[in-house]
Amino acid sequence: MTVCVLNVDLQTDATLQVDISDALSERDKVKFTVHTKSSLPNFKLNEFSVVRQHEEFIWLHDSFVENEEYAGYIIPPAPPRPDFDASREKLQKLGEGEGSMTKEEFTKMKQELEAEYLAIFKKTVAMHEVFLCRVAAHPVLRKDLNFHVFLEYNQDLSVRGKNKKEKLEDFFKNVVKSADGVLVAGVKDVDDFFEHEKTFLLEYHNRVKDASAKSDRMIRSHKNAADDINRIASSLYTLGTQDTTELCKFFLKVSELFEKTRKVESRVAADEDLKLSDLLKYYLRESQAAKDLLYRRSRSLVDYENANKALDKARSKNRDVLQAETSQQICCHKFEKISESAKQELIDFKTRRVAAFRKNLVELAELELKHAKGNLQLLQSCLGFMKTNT
Amino acid sequence: CHRIGSKMLYLDIRGDLDSEIRERGTQSLSSLSTEDVSANTNGPNQDALFDDDPEDLFAEATEEVSLDSPERDILLSDGPSPAITPITPPTSVIAPRIGHTHDDMFTHSSFDEIEEEEVDDSFDINISVSDPEKVGDGMNAYMAYKVTTKTSMSLFKQREFSVKRRFSDFLGLHSKLASKYLHVGYIVPPAPEKSIVGMTKVKVGKEDQSSNEFVEKRRSALERYLMRTVKHHILLKDPDVLQFLESSELPRAVSTQALSSAGLLRMVNKAADAVNKMTIKMNESDAWFEEKQQHFESLDVQLRKLHISVESLVCHRKELSVNTAQFAKSAAMLGNSEDHTALSRALSQLAEVEEKMDQLHQDQANADFYLFSELLGDYVRLLAAVKGVFDHRIKTWQKWQDSQILLQKKREAEAKLQFTNKSDKLQQAKDEIKDMEGRVQQDERDFEQISRTIRKEVGRFEKERVKDFKTSIIKYLESLVLTQQQVIKSYFTFRYVTASV
């Protein structure tokens, strides 16, 4: 599998390398073959593979989130669920409508839908791979036991998806967390760095969300236009074969041109999707993970301040002082630990973000230029031919 | 003599009158001709040529005639020869010209001679429709358009002149031309369609983008309509067309209003025509017509399909433009929040690029529409006019068949009367038969004429179609080239900035 596009600065060191070497799409699930190469003593072999499904990735992610030890890190965002529903529906509709179109039309549409399916498939594999790579690159998370089990245990992890009760619990947990988050966010931070990060991340996250949605809409319109050009090419072809005047040669030439430019337009939409939409979507999730980190830190700060107040109260009443002192020390320790790692995490986040955006924007510009030049050449050569033959 | 030969050939095709004419032979052409002439109900042009003794004209028919003989032209410009039947339009400026010779005369009417010549003359006329101006207020308001003609043709009084016209004037012109020329086989370009919704918005005074777009669409359609009309060398010379282009005042065409009595009558007639078309079954003796009709029918289907796809493209490109603009704004906002300076600048550049793209998409959508979509729409409507002309031919054929049947009936009635003693009734019957024979001949000539006209019109139409499509599509491709060049320019700058992040 190709190296993930979104991870630019990941150290590809020999101690731990993870990738998804294969994937199989079955009826309603995708089976990923996770391939690991490692020189670490923790593993039995130096190179091995296991098969994992999406739910197992989610289990791993959730185990990180729930682990208090990792409160001070940005937990790499979970990959989105593979969604082939739309594509599958289209293929099914095509199968049903087979009788109503010509053989050429049917084959053409089938090829396109299969290409679309393949594109979605490739994307979901890439997203799952990015998650694993991020974990493997993180100095602390890569040592996580669950991670090693995930990589090595060649049996089913027996991780079932959450049932209704658990999903409901999750929902309420999120509601409480959001409300709490609002309360906690109101607490002004003494540290300038974190205060700035809080304001920044809040605004940034919202704007990335907006940009991601608008980018998706723009790309969808682009795809629609490319589909129209496809239909126009087909109609022109039919006209060309039926016309009795010298227009038939003309129509056939234009039809051929539009077939080619249509492919270019589709590629433009696909590349924009990859370099722009996917980038924005990923940083939407990462900025949320960063926000979560800030929340955890603020929460621990509030706990620390509450512990301080409790200690003062205990000292003034001279009751349970030792207990209050211990509690306060734990909170203080927790808060300082989170703050220290959080600072580094947020700096790394910025570095990663800038690098990823730079790489993708440059590549986007290159691809747009390449496609526009390709289109221009096709158009000019066709025009040249037509003008000399008129 | 070639002339007689072809005449005999013609006579062979004519049904009932065969035996009668053949026995008369060439000597009696004169008597035949006078009968025909008297039964001839064509326009006033005929009369001018009957100043000479018709007998003399046709006596010369038996002589070897040189192609350059002036008398020949008189012969050929009217009379019983089936190849020569002036078209009915009475107000036409085109009188059969005498003094011009043409090799192929036997298959053309004098009318045709003139058509052939005009094609050789330089066709130099350009019409533009511009400056839409709202006149009046409320529901009585209307748009006035300036129609400017630039020409070097001697047909016109000036070289450059303008008049003010409103939409109903255009419809009135089309209505007049259609009533004069459609039923004899000329493909009259259809006028742009009415739009009650569109016009109401304009009248009510909404100065928004959609009503501006509507006015521009209409202006462009009116311009194309006029250019197509004057490109037709017969229509160009029609006095109604000349009056439309030149005279400053034009009587209002009230009968073009959708809800007028004339409008309702038109709708009723259209319905009646549709029913008739379904019930007339014509024995097509000429495979050419059937082939052409099928060709136009399948062309119609294909053009409609293509038109729908292009309209969809216009729609999606407009959507793309709107969505790109929104994304540009969003990217700018994102750039503002980004606290890494260089990346922030790159994101602002991205926003700028996308803004340019939005404008390019908008421009391209307009090119898609005016150069491609409207061309297809025009041709779908033109093909309806072509179909109409083919239908008229069938109606003309039917008329001829009907008169033949009527003639037969009258002959039968006369035969019966032979055995009675009612001499006055018998004479009346004989007179009626003579009239009827004339009518049958006329109907047959009409049918032949419309068939001939359609053949030429189809040739002209196809030539125009080829030219139109080639020109428009080349222009359209050029618009696509321009867009791509702008895209390259924009992304080039963008790449330069992002590389420095």
Side-chain angles (χ1 to χ4, degrees), chain A residues 373-388:
Chain A
K373 282 185 184 152
N375 254 346
L376 182 64
Q377 206 218 3
L378 287 169
L379 287 164
Q380 280 175 330
S381 86
C382 182
L383 259 176
F385 173 85
M386 289 200 293
K387 281 183 173 163
T388 55

Side-chain angles (χ1 to χ4, degrees), chain A residues 324-362:
Chain A
E325 271 178 357
T326 337
S327 169
Q328 191 254 27
Q329 264 180 7
I330 291 173
C331 285
C332 174
H333 176 73
K334 185 171 171 198
F335 172 68
E336 279 169 0
K337 183 163 166 243
I338 290 181
S339 288
E340 196 184 310
S341 58
K343 189 161 192 165
Q344 191 54 48
E345 287 283 299
L346 288 167
I347 291 170
D348 287 346
F349 171 62
K350 180 162 172 173
T351 318
R352 268 200 316 273
R353 185 176 80 242
V354 171
F357 268 80
R358 180 208 291 123
K359 179 169 183 281
N360 280 293
L361 288 178
V362 167

Side-chain angles (χ1 to χ4, degrees), chain A residues 286-300:
Chain A
E286 269 250 15
S287 57
Q288 182 62 48
K291 272 170 71 181
D292 290 343
L293 168 63
L294 282 180
Y295 163 74
R296 288 195 293 271
R297 178 179 169 279
S298 297
R299 177 82 252 159
S300 79

Side-chain angles (χ1 to χ4, degrees), chain A residues 108 226 228-241 247-263 378-379 382 385-386, chain B residues 306 372 473 476-477 480:
Chain A
K108 214 181 180 197
D228 286 327
I229 297 176
N230 193 18
R231 275 188 281 271
I232 290 170
S234 296
S235 286
L236 281 172
Y237 181 78
T238 318
L239 269 169
T241 52
L247 276 183
C248 60
K249 231 183 10 190
F250 192 77
F251 282 146
L252 287 174
K253 199 85 178 87
V254 179
S255 164
E256 189 189 323
L257 169 71
F258 282 158
E259 270 290 340
K260 294 198 189 120
T261 59
R262 191 273 302 183
K263 288 207 176 85
L378 287 169
L379 287 164
C382 182
F385 173 85
M386 289 200 293
Chain B
L306 183 58
F372 205 3
I473 291 185
Y476 177 62
L477 292 184
L480 290 172

Side-chain angles (χ1 to χ4, degrees), chain B residues 1-69:
Chain B
C1 175
H2 298 291
R3 185 170 182 274
I4 306 303
S6 73
K7 185 158 175 66
M8 296 309 287
L9 192 66
Y10 164 75
L11 292 170
D12 281 340
I13 309 168
R14 293 166 76 195
D16 299 339
L17 302 173
D18 255 6
S19 44
E20 277 196 37
I21 292 159
R22 260 204 222 107
E23 69 184 82
R24 294 195 205 179
T26 57
Q27 307 309 76
S28 338
L29 273 175
S30 49
S31 49
L32 175 67
S33 64
T34 33
E35 286 167 19
D36 287 342
V37 159
S38 58
N40 202 324
T41 51
N42 280 334
N45 298 323
Q46 284 280 19
D47 299 324
L49 301 158
F50 287 138
D51 287 341
D52 299 306
D53 185 354
E55 296 275 330
D56 287 341
L57 286 177
F58 295 104
E60 288 183 272
T62 56
E63 290 170 27
E64 190 74 12
V65 179
S66 82
L67 285 172
D68 295 319
S69 157

Side-chain angles (χ1 to χ4, degrees), chain A residues 105 196-197 200 203-204 207-208 210-212 214-215 217-219 221-222 224-226 228-229 231-236 238-239 242-247 250-251 254 257-258 265 272 276 280 350 353-354 357-358 361-362 364-366 368-369 371-373 375-376 379-380 382-383 386-387 389-390, chain B residues 291-292 295 298-299 302-303 305-306 309-310 312-314 316-317 319-321 323-324 326-327 329-334 336-340 343 346-347 350 354 361 372 376 462 465-467 469-471 473-478 480-482 484-485 487-489 491-492 494-495 498-501:
Chain A
E105 273 176 20
H196 165 80
E197 286 296 308
F200 163 73
E203 193 184 61
Y204 188 79
R207 291 188 178 178
V208 165
D210 188 54
S212 172
K214 302 264 160 71
S215 162
R217 272 222 290 271
M218 177 176 80
I219 289 164
S221 293
H222 223 136
N224 287 339
D228 286 327
I229 297 176
R231 275 188 281 271
I232 290 170
S234 296
S235 286
L236 281 172
T238 318
L239 269 169
Q242 285 182 2
D243 207 294
T244 52
T245 65
E246 48 184 285
L247 276 183
F250 192 77
F251 282 146
V254 179
L257 169 71
F258 282 158
E265 289 296 329
E272 281 176 354
L276 207 51
L280 292 168
K350 180 162 172 173
R353 185 176 80 242
V354 171
F357 268 80
R358 180 208 291 123
L361 288 178
V362 167
L364 176 72
E366 297 276 351
E368 294 272 9
L369 271 171
H371 293 316
K373 282 185 184 152
N375 254 346
L376 182 64
L379 287 164
Q380 280 175 330
C382 182
L383 259 176
M386 289 200 293
K387 281 183 173 163
N389 285 22
T390 310
Chain B
E291 184 192 307
K292 282 297 166 189
H295 160 70
S298 86
L299 184 64
Q302 288 309 318
L303 283 182
K305 194 160 153 211
L306 183 58
S309 298
V310 177
S312 174
L313 176 63
V314 172
H316 284 138
R317 255 216 247 269
E319 241 177 55
L320 177 59
S321 163
N323 288 339
T324 306
Q326 284 188 338
F327 174 70
K329 286 203 192 88
S330 190
M333 296 282 274
L334 187 64
N336 282 343
S337 343
E338 177 57 66
D339 59 355
H340 185 275
L343 180 56
L347 286 169
L350 176 67
E354 295 299 335
H361 289 311
F372 205 3
L376 295 168
E462 289 287 78
R465 179 167 77 91
V466 170
K467 213 163 68 166
F469 269 81
K470 276 197 182 159
T471 320
I473 291 185
I474 286 180
K475 271 205 209 130
Y476 177 62
L477 292 184
E478 282 171 350
L480 290 172
V481 165
L482 190 66
Q484 289 305 311
Q485 285 171 332
V487 168
I488 289 172
K489 226 169 46 175
Y491 273 109
F492 201 75
F494 175 62
R495 196 241 314 241
T498 48
S500 66
V501 167

Side-chain angles (χ1 to χ4, degrees), chain B residues 216-279:
Chain B
E216 173 53 29
K217 242 177 96 166
R218 179 162 273 195
R219 183 210 65 77
S220 171
L222 291 173
E223 194 172 273
R224 291 194 309 270
Y225 165 66
L226 284 180
M227 279 307 286
R228 284 221 171 83
T229 304
V230 298
K231 275 201 196 130
H232 194 301
H233 49 273
I234 301 287
L235 297 178
L236 170 59
K237 302 200 179 83
D238 185 282
D240 284 321
V241 171
L242 298 173
Q243 186 190 38
F244 181 89
L245 292 174
E246 285 181 317
S247 78
S248 50
E249 288 296 318
L250 208 63
R252 255 204 80 188
V254 183
S255 67
T256 60
Q257 280 164 351
L259 301 175
S260 69
S261 55
L264 289 170
L265 187 65
R266 259 200 302 278
M267 281 198 282
V268 169
N269 281 336
K270 260 200 194 145
D273 279 348
V275 172
N276 278 337
K277 207 168 23 134
M278 291 194 284
T279 54

